[in-house]
Amino acid sequence: AQKITQTQPGMFVQEKEAVTLDCTYDTSDQSYGLFWYKQPSSGEMIFLIYQGSYDEQNATEGRYSLNFQKARKSANLVISASQLGDSAMYFCAMREVRTSGSRLTFGEGTQLTVNP
Amino acid sequence: SAVISQKPSRDICQRGTSLTIQCQVDSQVTMMFWYRQQPGQSLTLIATANQGSEATYESGFVIDKFPISRPNLTFSTLTVSNMSPEDSSIYLCSVARNYGYTFGSGTRLTVV
């Protein structure tokens, strides 16, 4: 079974600084996808960034980048120039392909607090 | 990406009653997913709903407690039956699109 591990329950960062949120995964699949989502206190899930297992370049989306180290099975999210609005829960997730179709498996999440 | 309208956004319900959550997608999708997020925890998949067939439930979730309907390719409902305070959670629907997954805005359920 696939597993996603986020070892940082909480992280703090000063406004305008960069922060890295850790994510490691475990899978025997050769083809997989890794996602990061942001969940503000409102509860909605906001897609941030995607990395495919065969992508050679690290994914980037604006201030978000994914540090993908396949051999180490890690997919850390880097947020540059943190803003107060970045304070939220962040989830790492992996797409799992099964005979019944694909599904997402989520890590436990990291609560990020951006301090002014 | 797909736009999902999820209703209600929140509700407070009496124990023993049932609540039906609706998700409407702005385009046709094959599979819809229903998740539960208990307070302070991550998302757990309840079931996968394909149009025209019975939903596939994950371990620990049963149809009698969480019946799902999927009458067409743009709509699904999840019912939380015979509720207890332990059912207080955020419930989210989701659809897969290309390489991404879009979520509804969630239903915050409190059972008293």
Side-chain angles (χ1 to χ4, degrees):
Chain A
Q2 296 187 336
K3 186 176 180 180
I4 298 285
T5 303
Q6 294 180 254
T7 58
Q8 306 154 313
M11 287 285 286
F12 294 87
V13 65
Q14 287 297 122
E15 192 178 8
K16 300 180 184 178
E17 293 185 351
V19 63
T20 298
L21 306 184
D22 294 341
C23 173
T24 58
Y25 59 92
D26 186 23
T27 181
S28 56
D29 293 344
Q30 294 300 309
S31 178
Y32 51 88
L34 296 157
F35 301 79
W36 277 93
Y37 285 87
K38 172 184 178 181
Q39 187 180 43
S41 58
S42 60
E44 61 184 312
M45 294 289 285
I46 302 169
F47 167 76
L48 296 178
I49 197 165
Y50 165 81
Q51 180 84 43
S53 59
Y54 291 119
D55 294 341
E56 295 184 353
Q57 302 264 8
N58 285 343
T60 60
E61 291 284 351
R63 294 187 298 112
Y64 304 107
S65 61
L66 200 152
N67 184 359
F68 181 47
Q69 299 188 40
K70 193 170 182 177
R72 297 181 60 184
K73 294 187 175 180
S74 73
N76 299 337
L77 176 70
V78 180
I79 305 175
S80 63
S82 297
Q83 301 172 356
L84 296 178
D86 293 334
S87 293
M89 182 70 83
Y90 289 80
F91 290 99
C92 180
M94 173 184 286
R95 181 180 62 237
E96 176 183 13
V97 179
R98 301 161 75 182
T99 53
S100 58
S102 64
R103 52 167 287 183
L104 283 183
T105 300
F106 287 85
E108 292 304 309
T110 296
Q111 180 68 49
L112 176 66
T113 302
V114 180
N115 295 316
Chain B
S1 60
V3 174
I4 305 175
S5 174
Q6 183 172 345
K7 298 178 182 179
S9 58
R10 59 177 63 233
D11 207 340
I12 300 173
C13 300
Q14 296 290 325
R15 66 178 68 198
T17 64
S18 297
L19 175 72
T20 296
I21 302 166
Q22 301 180 0
C23 276
Q24 177 75 52
V25 190
D26 67 345
S27 56
Q28 294 182 342
V29 292
T30 304
M31 290 195 295
M32 292 182 73
F33 306 90
W34 287 97
Y35 288 87
R36 181 178 73 180
Q37 185 180 24
Q38 295 177 300
Q41 298 191 24
S42 185
L43 280 74
T44 302
L45 183 65
I46 298 172
T48 303
N50 289 329
Q51 194 269 335
S53 63
E54 292 285 331
T56 302
Y57 288 82
E58 298 298 311
S59 176
F61 297 96
V62 294
I63 188 171
D64 289 346
K65 176 67 175 177
F66 298 101
I68 288 171
S69 77
R70 185 79 201 276
N72 57 54
L73 291 172
T74 64
F75 187 79
S76 180
T77 67
L78 169 76
T79 299
V80 186
S81 303
N82 188 26
M83 288 184 286
S84 67
E86 291 71 34
D87 293 320
S88 298
S89 298
I90 298 174
Y91 293 85
L92 298 115
C93 61
S94 176
V95 301
R97 273 302 184 81
N98 299 321
Y99 293 107
Y101 293 79
T102 303
F103 287 81
S105 53
T107 297
R108 192 178 295 268
L109 171 62
T110 302
V111 183
V112 298

